[in-house]
Amino acid sequence: MSDLDLLTQSLARNVRRWRTERGFTLETLAARAGVSRGMLIQIEQARTNPSLGTVVKIGDALGVSITTLLDYERGPKVRVVTAAQTVRLWHTESGSYNRLLAGTEAPGPLEMWDWRLMPGESSTSDPHPAGTVEIVHVTVGELTLTVDGVEYRVDAGGSATFEANTPHTYGNDGDVPTEVVMAVSVPPVG
């Protein structure tokens, strides 16, 4: 089974599990996530590979991290994620990418990401649920962080925190790659 097949199967199983645990019907989850009922059916039957944005919306609606939705191993309280187990969820042909490094439920989803943005590229995120907070730390280059239409520059060695319940974009307006480590904390559903 390929990595993609494994992730598709895990996503199907975990969306169904968390939807059931939350007591959500397909219609309820579709409305909360802003995705179609048909898309949820395809996901739960492992017949599609949804976009990163769709997985984020479903995770937010369920109150669980992307890591939890894609997790194919349930184990002890300590979980070591090897470099080979990190999941690249977005990339461009010129070399921009993000990688989900690790995540947990504490008490809501908590995720740690590794991003690389090539010069001139950006990635836009839809608003997350109220109470969601993101922390970014730039290790190389300069990040242009746009939150609710306002641009902020974060140089290498600098960090920023923001409430992520508004549209936001991570961009590289410079001429060298930008590398960022990001943490996302989403409040629990309920």
Side-chain angles (χ1 to χ4, degrees):
M1 183 176 285
S2 74
D3 287 347
L4 184 58
D5 291 337
L6 185 59
L7 289 174
T8 301
Q9 293 291 326
S10 297
L11 181 63
R13 181 181 62 253
N14 291 326
V15 167
R16 190 170 40 254
R17 173 186 163 225
W18 285 100
R19 179 178 63 78
T20 302
E21 189 169 306
R22 299 283 190 252
F24 294 163
T25 64
L26 284 166
E27 291 78 12
T28 301
L29 181 56
R32 288 179 63 97
V35 300
S36 72
R37 181 180 181 275
M39 173 59 79
L40 287 175
I41 290 170
Q42 288 185 32
I43 290 169
E44 287 193 3
Q45 294 177 352
R47 293 188 327 204
T48 188
N49 298 310
S51 70
L52 171 60
T54 298
V55 176
V56 168
K57 288 178 182 179
I58 293 169
D60 288 349
L62 290 170
V64 299
S65 68
I66 294 172
T67 306
T68 298
L69 289 180
L70 298 178
D71 192 12
Y72 51 90
E73 295 178 16
R74 300 308 291 175
K77 299 262 183 204
V78 175
R79 180 169 181 231
V80 176
V81 180
T82 66
Q85 292 174 311
T86 62
V87 179
R88 185 180 294 200
L89 295 172
W90 170 81
H91 69 277
T92 66
E93 289 183 19
S94 61
S96 294
Y97 65 84
N98 70 18
R99 287 185 307 156
L100 180 58
L101 300 175
T104 188
E105 307 304 317
L110 177 62
E111 303 167 347
M112 185 168 54
W113 293 82
D114 171 35
W115 283 73
R116 169 178 267 183
L117 291 166
M118 299 307 285
E121 293 198 326
S122 64
S123 176
T124 299
S125 177
D126 290 327
H128 300 298
T132 301
V133 176
E134 295 191 13
I135 302 172
V136 294
H137 176 73
V138 179
T139 57
V140 176
E142 177 185 82
L143 176 69
T144 301
L145 174 65
T146 305
V147 179
D148 204 19
V150 179
E151 282 190 7
Y152 303 88
R153 303 265 186 226
V154 185
D155 293 325
S159 302
T161 64
F162 64 97
E163 295 177 8
N165 61 336
T166 61
H168 48 285
T169 301
Y170 314 99
N172 180 352
D173 294 334
D175 29 347
V176 299
T178 297
E179 295 184 11
V180 175
V181 176
M182 175 177 65
V184 180
S185 175
V186 181
V189 170

